[in-house]
Amino acid sequence: MRTISVVLFVVLFLILSIPIMLAEWIIGKFNQDLRDKSSLRIVQWAFRCVLFLSGTEITVIGEENVPKNEPVLYIGNHRSYFDVVITYARVPRLCGYISKKEIDRIPLLHIWMRYLHCLFLDRDNIREGLTVILNAINKVKTGISICIFPEGTRNTSGEDFLPFRSGSLKIAEKSGCAIIPMALNHTEDIFEAHVPWIHKTHIILEYCKPVYPKDLPKEERKRLSEIVEKTVKDTYYKNQKLIK
């Protein structure tokens, strides 16, 4: 029932939201800030409904570490499609996600994602990847947070982590924003571990203390990727024992 409920809700939301998309497009022609805020709240509401219907219980730790009055770069591990649903439902301000280019082909969904300043990355095109990073830097400079999962794809390898790609941290280094390391535990058990069924699951989301690259000593700035990756890993392993 959970799987059917979630699929039906997502399909109906995308279809029934077509008039809302049109209204948002018109609003954006006159007041971009208003459209940004309304699109954010609409999608957050939809994601919260998905989490409720899927029976996902979330324990959130360290939410006070996320600055509310400035854009940030969220960096987290990635085991499930639900990672986006879980984290986006909680962002306090407009946030664009960096997603694989294939998602841009999904009808209607890609419109909402573009309204929310998401960026689409072709992982096989190095030049295009650089362009996406530059666009992300510009978005942060205009007040929009960015979220990226630096493992590069969902981790289905059976290992706890894939290698982090350090290029994503340039977004924070060049824009001056804080990095918020995030650790997500057990999210793969919602869906990926039971494909095609969705299971009731308890997950842990912890926001670690912000890291400002400009405030680090020179030697630590050279190891920024290593420091952030270690923070995510240490937090992930610490929270494994909290899973019920």
Side-chain angles (χ1 to χ4, degrees), residues 58-109:
I58 306 173
T59 296
V60 181
I61 303 170
E63 202 157 25
E64 69 279 2
N65 290 324
V66 182
K68 305 299 188 295
N69 58 353
E70 61 186 73
V72 301
L73 174 65
Y74 296 98
I75 295 287
N77 58 306
H78 194 23
R79 300 292 294 271
S80 172
Y81 288 117
F82 274 81
D83 294 338
V84 175
V85 178
I86 291 163
T87 55
Y88 201 84
R90 307 196 72 86
V91 294
R93 55 186 296 131
L94 192 63
C95 181
Y97 279 54
I98 295 181
S99 177
K100 60 183 180 181
K101 199 173 186 66
E102 291 79 1
I103 301 296
D104 196 25
R105 303 189 186 115
I106 299 177
L108 303 179
L109 175 63

Side-chain angles (χ1 to χ4, degrees), residues 70-233:
E70 61 186 73
V72 301
L73 174 65
Y74 296 98
I75 295 287
N77 58 306
H78 194 23
R79 300 292 294 271
S80 172
Y81 288 117
F82 274 81
D83 294 338
V84 175
V85 178
I86 291 163
T87 55
Y88 201 84
R90 307 196 72 86
V91 294
R93 55 186 296 131
L94 192 63
C95 181
Y97 279 54
I98 295 181
S99 177
K100 60 183 180 181
K101 199 173 186 66
E102 291 79 1
I103 301 296
D104 196 25
R105 303 189 186 115
I106 299 177
L108 303 179
L109 175 63
H110 77 284
I111 297 176
W112 279 116
M113 292 183 71
R114 289 188 177 276
Y115 281 176
L116 295 170
H117 299 271
C118 293
L119 299 169
F120 299 94
L121 176 66
D122 182 349
R123 291 171 293 191
D124 297 323
N125 188 325
I126 295 175
R127 179 175 294 181
E128 186 175 301
L130 177 59
T131 300
V132 169
I133 295 298
L134 292 174
N135 287 340
I137 292 168
N138 288 332
K139 287 188 179 295
V140 172
K141 288 180 177 179
T142 62
I144 301 167
S145 294
I146 293 291
C147 179
I148 188 168
F149 300 105
E151 289 170 288
T153 186
R154 283 182 305 113
N155 181 359
T156 58
S157 67
E159 301 293 331
D160 287 335
F161 289 88
L162 296 174
F164 276 32
R165 301 181 181 185
S166 60
S168 57
L169 298 181
K170 294 293 183 185
I171 298 169
E173 292 179 282
K174 298 298 184 182
S175 68
C177 75
I179 298 168
I180 305 296
M182 302 184 300
L184 294 121
N185 288 71
H186 210 44
T187 57
E188 71 279 3
D189 205 50
I190 302 172
F191 177 66
E192 281 76 6
H194 314 285
V195 174
W197 309 115
I198 291 172
H199 280 214
K200 181 178 180 180
T201 305
H202 173 224
I203 69 101
I204 308 289
L205 166 62
E206 179 163 355
Y207 298 97
C208 306
K209 291 183 178 180
V211 177
Y212 288 89
K214 63 183 179 181
D215 293 340
L216 295 176
K218 186 176 180 180
E219 288 305 312
E220 289 189 18
R221 285 202 300 270
K222 293 178 181 178
R223 299 188 300 108
L224 180 61
S225 179
E226 177 187 334
I227 290 170
V228 173
E229 182 174 355
K230 185 177 187 302
T231 299
V232 174
K233 287 181 176 180

